[in-house]
Amino acid sequence: YVLCCGGGEEVEMVAMPAPGGRSWSLCVSSQVGCRMGCSFCETGRMGLLRNLSAAEIVAQVALAAHVLGLHVANVIFMGMGEPLDNVDAVVQAIRVLVDPAGLAVPVSHVTVSTSGEAEHVHTLLQALPSVRLAFSLHAPNDALRSRLMPINRRVPLALLAEAMRHCIAATRRRVTVQYVLLAGVNDHPAHAKELASFLAAVGPASRLHVNLLPYNAQSGTPRYSAPSADACKAFKAELVAARLFVKIRWTKGADKMAACGQLGNLNLRRELRRRRLEYAEAAGEGARDATGLRAPSRDGGSACAQRDTLVW
């Protein structure tokens, strides 16, 4: 679902049926765009337009529950944006979501994903020690990770491993590790062995849950390609041999650009700039009462007009 903010910005949320089909997991956004710049992610190509407020984050779940009529059992901060780059609003939003007087989502059913904001892992767990965390690794060494994920130049794997160890100790739960598989880039069995070695230094295998995500194509000419099913299974086998719990998250929703790594609108920044110029011009004309001109509406508009939307 594409959601339009009052100023015409767009964010996206994804509803996924939970096992059994009676409830839903909701993947929500925390920012309009993202400044992390991960090379395999559509949102990262947008850059950061702005943070969402706590109210705008909560509104996504409220819309799903009260407008779409979904029973939201799990809330996952894996939509647009880096949640820990907007940590104060995310913490406040989660407090509302889990409050019995709010949306009453169990805190253990809330997962926050991070690409590596290690400092704010501590901030989040201090405020919400029962929340679940997922760490996006996507490479087993600093050289490759820095090429794929610019944040690694600021927060290398050693610092991220320290944050992961803190999370395991603080929550006493499994920590989720996410790893996108890019054909010919990070999907060789040698990469899997290197990843297993890195994770062994983080904590016991019983406290780690690895999700493997075959690459989902970005808009335009994709920079990467997805490995074959056999290559994905071979990568998994190396991790399983290291006694890790591993799942391959086969692609769903790619036909709607709704799969992992596909959320975003690359034209949004340009469209918003054009509309604001039009608004300023029309507002200037409208200052002269004789013309009778009025500024165009700002509640959605053409930035959202070509897609099925919900507007708050």
Side-chain angles (χ1 to χ4, degrees), residues 2-185:
V2 179
L3 308 178
C4 290
C5 307
E9 304 96 341
E10 294 177 9
V11 292
E12 300 182 27
M13 70 178 185
V14 179
M16 301 166 287
R22 295 183 179 180
S23 59
W24 295 76
S25 295
L26 194 69
C27 182
V28 300
S29 295
S30 55
Q31 296 176 312
V32 183
C34 180
R35 70 185 180 104
M36 297 298 111
C38 299
S39 62
F40 46 81
C41 179
E42 186 82 351
T43 313
R45 296 170 69 190
M46 292 176 63
L48 178 64
L49 277 73
R50 72 170 177 88
N51 288 329
L52 293 182
S53 67
E56 288 171 322
I57 296 170
V58 171
Q60 295 171 64
V61 185
L63 283 166
H66 300 298
V67 177
L68 300 176
L70 305 180
H71 175 229
V72 179
N74 303 287
V75 177
I76 308 166
F77 284 79
M78 295 184 189
M80 293 170 61
E82 162 58 55
L84 297 189
D85 192 33
N86 187 20
V87 66
D88 291 339
V90 166
V91 166
Q92 183 58 33
I94 294 173
R95 284 176 170 153
V96 174
L97 292 173
V98 304
D99 195 300
L103 289 166
V105 178
V107 68
S108 60
H109 290 212
V110 177
T111 301
V112 177
S113 174
T114 181
S115 61
E117 288 287 358
E119 177 184 354
H120 292 313
V121 168
H122 301 272
T123 305
L124 178 70
L125 291 177
Q126 185 175 9
L128 298 161
S130 297
V131 77
R132 295 182 181 273
L133 267 162
F135 292 86
S136 296
L137 289 186
H138 307 314
N141 59 67
D142 281 320
L144 179 55
R145 194 167 189 268
S146 292
R147 180 156 61 91
L148 298 176
M149 305 175 68
I151 189 176
N152 196 72
R153 301 164 198 164
R154 176 167 55 88
V155 186
L157 283 170
L159 291 180
L160 191 57
E162 182 182 336
M164 294 171 72
R165 283 190 286 268
H166 172 72
C167 182
I168 289 172
T171 66
R172 305 197 177 201
R173 291 200 184 112
R174 273 183 176 176
V175 165
T176 298
V177 174
Q178 301 176 121
Y179 193 100
V180 64
L181 291 167
L182 309 170
V185 178

